[in-house]
Amino acid sequence: MKKVGLYFGTFNPIHIGHLIIANHMVEFSDLDEVWMVITPQSPFKTKKSLLDNHHRYQMVFEATTDYPKLKPSKIEFDLPQPNYTITTLVHLEEKYKYEYSFSLIMGEDNLKSFHKWKNYDVILQNYDLYVYPRISSGSTEHQFKDHPKIHKVDAPIIEVSSTFIRKQHALGKNIKSMLPDTVWKYMDEMNFYR
């Protein structure tokens, strides 16, 4: 049974930071694959800056073609909104019960607010969390400090953000070095975030 790490994000756009972390997780932990799960645009809060689901999926697809252990996933596109991580996990379990076992990948900043997630205790009971370091304030809840299901992975700290990329691109700055070439080409051809 393959161990799959689920890396959730809007990937708006996917950038080299996402790839570095996903690749680090799959190469330097016991995970066999990492699925980049694209968070769909919520029908309840449409953000102008958030590209359509299929464009973000296409960019993740382009970005991961050279990484056989990284896969784009649009599993959440078909789930009712608003969606919670627990729902996605249950859905994946039902669909792939005998092929894959799933874990969550998250930044340290998300772990700090993990106790506010819907059914976080159920998630922790049934799934491992792989946590990568982030520069952020605040502290991790005491209950998560030495939890057997929480694995801190000594990944590089990457402080590139999609928000920064979108803003600077709109200002005409050259942000090409922060994106995989294929993503840059797609973004440029489609005239996104201008």
Side-chain angles (χ1 to χ4, degrees), residues 100-176:
Y100 303 108
S101 69
F102 295 99
S103 303
L104 290 181
I105 293 173
M106 67 171 63
E108 214 168 1
D109 49 339
N110 280 325
L111 184 61
K112 289 173 186 172
S113 59
F114 185 61
H115 60 287
K116 296 177 182 163
W117 288 29
K118 184 180 166 96
N119 300 113
Y120 80 91
D121 46 339
V122 178
I123 294 174
L124 257 190
Q125 231 168 10
N126 299 297
Y127 302 93
D128 286 314
L129 304 186
Y130 288 79
V131 180
Y132 58 88
R134 292 294 292 264
I135 297 169
S136 60
S137 56
S139 59
T140 305
E141 286 285 298
H142 174 68
Q143 72 215 55
F144 303 142
K145 278 282 195 285
D146 296 305
H147 199 285
K149 293 258 191 188
I150 298 175
H151 314 280
K152 295 225 170 165
V153 179
D154 192 19
I157 295 178
I158 309 289
E159 291 296 312
V160 177
S161 86
S162 296
T163 309
F164 177 82
I165 289 170
R166 288 195 309 272
K167 274 187 186 147
Q168 299 310 315
H169 186 57
L171 294 170
K173 303 282 188 204
N174 183 347
I175 43 81
K176 201 174 166 181

